[in-house]
Amino acid sequence: MHITIIYTICQCVIDKIAIALYSTISIKVRLQFFITGGFNMELFWFKGKNTFPNGIHPHEHKDTGEKEVRRIPFAPEVILPLSANIGKASIPCVKKGDSVYRGQKIAEADGYMSVPIHASVTGTVKDIALAPSPDGGMARAIILATSLTSVQTVDYSALRAIDEMSKAELIKAIQETGMVGLGGAGFPTHVKANLPEGHKVKTILVNGCECEPFLTTDQRVMLESLPELLLGIKIVMKCTGAEKAIIGLEDNKRDVYDAIKNILPKDGPISATLMPTKYPQGCEKMLVTALLNIEIPAGQIPSSIGVGIFNVTTLAQLGKLVPSKNGLIERVITVSGPGVARPGNYVVPLGTPLKFILEHCGWSGTAEYVVLGGPMMGKTVSSLDAPITKTASGILAFDKTLADLKKNEREYPCITCGACVSVCPMRLNPSTLGLLAKKERYEEMRDNYNLDLCIKCGSCTFICPSNIPILSLIQTAQEINKTKK
Ligand code: SF4
Ligand code: SF4
């Protein structure tokens, strides 16, 4: 009898504690519990130190990270599209038949939301005409025929001291380099460094996550161009008035972390933080949550919450180009994938055709085997005659086409397992979004299920055991809603 009473009292106390604990959990988590039929333990207990809730762990394939960057020879012809970034296209300042030298400005910026273009080879302007574009189709471009006398070396010795330049002079100098976000976004860097009226940045986050499988460009740039990276950080700190900068690295780049720690003073304004390796850590929203434990409100830019975010390769190039008064004419890319005989990281003159690069790396095949960028967020290319542009960080060549890979992946009905919900970093319900998309209820997806918050990371598609192409359903819905606006 006594034992029964004691047992009942204990049971009541345990229940009370459980209810009290449960009531402290956010509504979103409780909803997730009901949707998925179980807790995502990471989200339930805590989001973890220096990370964000949810996400996935695809196989890394980062073996090129151990190889030093090498140069690729000049292609006989380079294609420099006039519109290869967010903003307005550039205006050519050369004409067909002109001789140009490597580094010469060949197109002017068309206003503030635009950047100039510089010749990546010494040679002759073959034409200013439509040419294959990496986005598919054709785009207006300056086509240069490379001279046999063109040399690769560029003089990056400093001609001016950053400390002696005013903020306005720095912003102008950044625009003159033609720099845009090299991490893939393509947003003009001078616009990002020049804060909108009323915005104040306290912290710069330097994005060195490189969370996409295969890509190791940022890793090599950090290891081989550390002084330039630190100078680039100082430039954007001066432009934005930020007091401190944090270099965010995933813990699969411990070599970079050790190298940075070795040269940074302990209590200086620039520091480095390691984060657990997880995809999509490199997305801006995830990075802010992981490093600062705050969120960028929907529809707002990072500077609205006092944060500036820049990619490491962008800043390393800034640290090279601004002091030496050079323009952006080349970049480092990762060339990898099972079809490539000589994978690695290469310095490539902008405008070099993809086919030329791939052949140099020991691969010959057709466009449907090739992905520009990482396997999660990159795109299959439509033509190998398309050139490498400022925003491309990698070329991956596979031994099977995407169509071949998917041949055996029959799509099954949703089994409401909740896996997609538990990995979505934006805490959306990809399963419901997919179901609604199939019923073409696109406006309902936008109005009731936060369709526009999707960052297109593809984690839901990656994890789905029923092979439902959730991301492409979401992308279709977003495109159709855009045409209805
Ligand atoms: S693609 Fe969109 S819905 Fe799917 S996991 Fe990423 S953010 Fe979530
Ligand atoms: S869409 Fe796929 S991952 Fe999501 S609940 Fe359905 S079966 Fe599971």
Side-chain angles (χ1 to χ4, degrees):
M1 174 72 175
H2 282 129
I3 291 170
T4 313
I5 290 170
I6 291 166
Y7 177 81
T8 311
I9 290 170
C10 286
Q11 200 62 43
C12 283
V13 171
I14 290 167
D15 282 355
K16 286 269 186 239
I17 292 170
I19 289 165
L21 268 178
Y22 185 68
S23 64
T24 63
I25 306 166
S26 75
I27 299 287
K28 272 187 186 168
V29 180
R30 282 187 241 170
L31 279 177
Q32 189 178 19
F33 175 76
F34 287 115
I35 294 161
T36 63
F39 284 122
N40 172 339
M41 295 310 284
E42 185 180 25
L43 189 58
F44 173 51
W45 293 112
F46 49 86
K47 73 169 176 59
K49 196 169 182 300
N50 296 333
T51 189
F52 62 95
N54 303 344
I56 55 171
H57 300 272
H59 196 297
E60 292 176 22
H61 297 287
K62 299 256 188 196
D63 17 312
T64 52
E66 286 161 18
K67 295 182 180 182
E68 276 186 22
V69 175
R70 287 166 288 167
R71 278 188 177 272
I72 269 186
F74 288 129
E77 200 173 285
V78 297
I79 300 166
L80 298 156
L82 292 168
S83 179
N85 52 274
I86 293 175
K88 289 179 90 177
S90 321
I91 304 167
C93 54
V94 289
K95 56 183 188 321
K96 190 173 170 180
D98 282 357
S99 294
V100 295
Y101 60 88
R102 185 157 143 91
Q104 179 187 332
K105 195 194 282 184
I106 53 172
E108 295 280 0
D110 184 9
Y112 180 60
M113 272 303 281
S114 179
V115 291
I117 297 173
H118 301 82
S120 56
V121 296
T122 296
T124 316
V125 180
K126 188 179 168 194
D127 208 348
I128 301 174
L130 289 178
S133 150
D135 299 332
M138 305 288 274
R140 204 156 167 262
I142 300 177
I143 304 160
L144 302 179
T146 310
S147 156
L148 290 175
T149 58
S150 193
V151 286
Q152 293 256 2
T153 43
V154 185
D155 186 4
Y156 286 121
S157 37
L159 299 172
R160 54 184 163 189
I162 298 307
D163 297 340
E164 288 161 19
M165 293 173 76
S166 69
K167 183 192 147 184
E169 284 169 338
L170 276 174
I171 300 286
K172 185 75 197 140
I174 296 173
Q175 184 177 19
E176 280 301 304
T177 64
M179 181 63 70
V180 300
L182 302 185
F187 194 80
T189 308
H190 66 281
V191 179
K192 211 177 192 185
N194 194 15
L195 300 179
E197 199 62 36
H199 286 212
K200 236 180 150 187
V201 158
K202 205 174 155 201
T203 312
I204 297 290
L205 298 186
V206 184
N207 192 347
C209 294
E210 201 165 47
C211 59
E212 277 263 13
F214 289 98
L215 303 185
T216 56
T217 306
D218 290 346
Q219 181 179 356
R220 286 317 309 177
V221 168
M222 285 188 276
L223 284 172
E224 296 180 35
S225 306
L226 204 42
E228 290 86 352
L229 170 61
L230 296 180
L231 191 52
I233 296 173
K234 280 183 194 153
I235 291 172
V236 290
M237 283 178 80
K238 185 162 178 182
C239 291
T240 56
E243 295 157 14
K244 60 175 182 168
I246 307 169
I247 306 170
L249 302 160
E250 289 195 330
D251 57 12
N252 58 1
K253 288 179 259 305
R254 196 164 277 277
D255 51 347
V256 180
Y257 179 75
D258 292 340
I260 293 175
K261 280 279 175 194
N262 266 342
I263 64 163
L264 280 184
K266 238 189 177 168
D267 301 315
I270 305 174
S271 63
T273 300
L274 274 183
M275 297 174 281
T277 298
K278 190 165 65 162
Y279 179 85
Q281 189 91 252
C283 288
E284 287 196 343
K285 282 177 185 280
M286 277 70 251
L287 192 68
V288 170
T289 304
L291 290 176
L292 302 175
N293 210 11
I294 50 177
E295 285 190 17
I296 306 172
Q300 305 250 347
I301 57 173
S303 61
S304 68
I305 54 163
V307 181
I309 306 175
F310 294 86
N311 159 268
V312 284
T313 301
T314 308
L315 294 186
Q317 281 286 3
L318 267 196
K320 244 189 214 180
L321 303 178
V322 172
S324 63
K325 297 188 181 178
N326 275 303
L328 183 68
I329 55 174
E330 59 190 17
R331 65 157 299 155
V332 178
I333 60 164
T334 303
V335 184
S336 188
V340 177
R342 288 180 291 281
N345 282 291
Y346 294 90
V347 180
V348 178
L350 295 175
T352 306
L354 304 179
K355 193 173 180 190
F356 183 86
I357 300 168
L358 285 164
E359 281 175 0
H360 179 80
C361 298
W363 187 85
S364 55
T366 47
E368 64 265 38
Y369 291 84
V370 178
V371 171
L372 202 54
M376 298 299 294
M377 294 176 100
K379 289 179 188 156
T380 312
V381 297
S382 53
S383 164
L384 292 183
D385 294 327
I388 207 78
T389 58
K390 295 176 182 179
T391 55
S393 48
I395 312 174
L396 306 180
F398 293 95
D399 43 9
K400 286 191 176 114
T401 65
L402 285 181
D404 285 340
L405 288 171
K406 284 178 179 167
K407 236 177 218 166
N408 299 326
E409 290 184 12
R410 200 186 122 196
E411 186 183 329
Y412 295 92
C414 173
I415 53 168
T416 61
C417 64
C420 56
V421 180
S422 65
V423 299
C424 176
M426 294 305 293
R427 299 170 190 166
L428 303 176
N429 187 333
S431 153
T432 303
L433 287 169
L435 288 172
L436 289 173
K438 285 189 171 178
K439 292 175 185 165
E440 298 183 10
R441 285 155 64 179
Y442 303 127
E443 286 171 27
E444 192 180 341
M445 290 168 71
R446 181 191 59 210
D447 297 341
N448 300 343
Y449 293 92
N450 292 315
L451 170 70
D452 294 337
L453 290 186
C454 171
I455 55 167
K456 304 184 191 77
C457 67
S459 302
C460 48
T461 306
F462 175 87
I463 209 81
C464 179
S466 294
N467 301 322
I468 299 169
I470 310 172
L471 175 57
S472 57
L473 290 165
I474 286 175
Q475 281 172 322
T476 306
Q478 284 180 337
E479 288 304 316
I480 290 175
N481 281 345
K482 242 190 245 169
T483 59
K484 285 184 187 163
K485 270 183 188 169

